[in-house]
Amino acid sequence: MSTGADGLRRRVRGALRRTEQDYSGTRDRPLGGYLAAMAGFGAYTAAWATVVRLRGRPVPDRPEPWDVVLTSVATFRLSRLLSKASVTSPLRAPFTRYVGPRGPAELHEEAQSEGGKDTVGELVTCPFCMSVWVASTLTAGQLLWPRATRTTMGALAALAGSDALQLAYAALVDKTTGD
């Protein structure tokens, strides 16, 4: 015998399946996985915000412009390091497949589609997706451990600057030697 709650659950699941099919068309889009990732991000952000509040850390009325710039550059560099660098590929390997090199010291990988790994695979190979998590983490760090976090962000910003100089130097060498 089915209860009213069971019937409601079945109707909601059916509506969600139809929505996913209507949205995806002929392509496989893991909307359920995306929803889980959004819920995970919300829980993660709520958890660190709760820790900030419980520790009584002051939250500024608005971020300082320098902190925004430093956070932006550090977020860019750490997101690319986590999502594209050869050296961090072991972290992504359970969720991705190696396709080939892409750019200096970076890889092109595709998300695995079996076993629900597609959403995590997309997240860990997308620097834009990763940047949301990294910026949130750096923001939490600035509120909880400002000196250590700014030091770390300074190192990441220096790394981003070094990368830009390496690429500029390589382009200059290519231009002057014709290679």
Side-chain angles (χ1 to χ4, degrees):
M1 178 179 210
S2 175
T3 67
D6 289 337
L8 178 61
R9 250 180 287 198
R10 269 189 266 114
R11 285 195 301 277
V12 168
R13 277 194 211 120
L16 290 174
R17 269 194 298 275
R18 283 189 302 281
T19 299
E20 188 169 20
Q21 289 169 346
D22 290 346
Y23 173 78
S24 300
T26 61
R27 305 184 83 172
D28 185 28
R29 301 303 309 150
L31 290 185
Y34 295 155
L35 188 59
M38 289 170 38
F41 180 78
Y44 172 68
T45 303
W48 70 250
T50 300
V51 171
V52 168
R53 188 170 202 199
L54 290 173
R55 292 183 73 192
R57 300 298 301 197
V59 177
D61 291 332
R62 63 185 155 276
E64 294 295 326
W66 173 247
D67 284 336
V68 173
V69 171
L70 186 60
T71 303
S72 298
V73 175
T75 296
F76 162 77
R77 189 63 199 104
L78 186 54
S79 296
R80 288 207 74 83
L81 179 67
L82 292 171
S83 65
K84 295 292 182 188
S86 300
V87 71
T88 56
S89 61
L91 301 175
R92 298 184 303 273
F95 310 101
T96 62
R97 284 197 179 80
Y98 175 78
V99 176
R102 175 159 301 158
E106 289 192 344
L107 302 177
H108 175 62
E109 297 162 321
E110 292 180 349
Q112 292 183 24
S113 58
E114 67 276 345
K117 296 179 181 182
D118 44 4
T119 302
V120 176
E122 285 186 36
L123 173 67
V124 300
T125 59
C126 172
F128 299 98
C129 306
M130 184 64 67
S131 68
V132 175
W133 291 80
V134 169
S136 181
T137 300
L138 293 176
T139 299
Q142 287 177 0
L143 294 171
L144 293 167
W145 310 283
R147 291 179 71 184
T149 303
R150 282 194 184 92
T151 300
T152 301
M153 290 191 317
L156 289 164
L159 182 58
S162 175
D163 291 347
L165 290 171
Q166 295 288 354
L167 293 170
Y169 179 80
L172 183 60
V173 168
D174 287 349
K175 184 177 180 178
T176 59
T177 62
D179 289 339

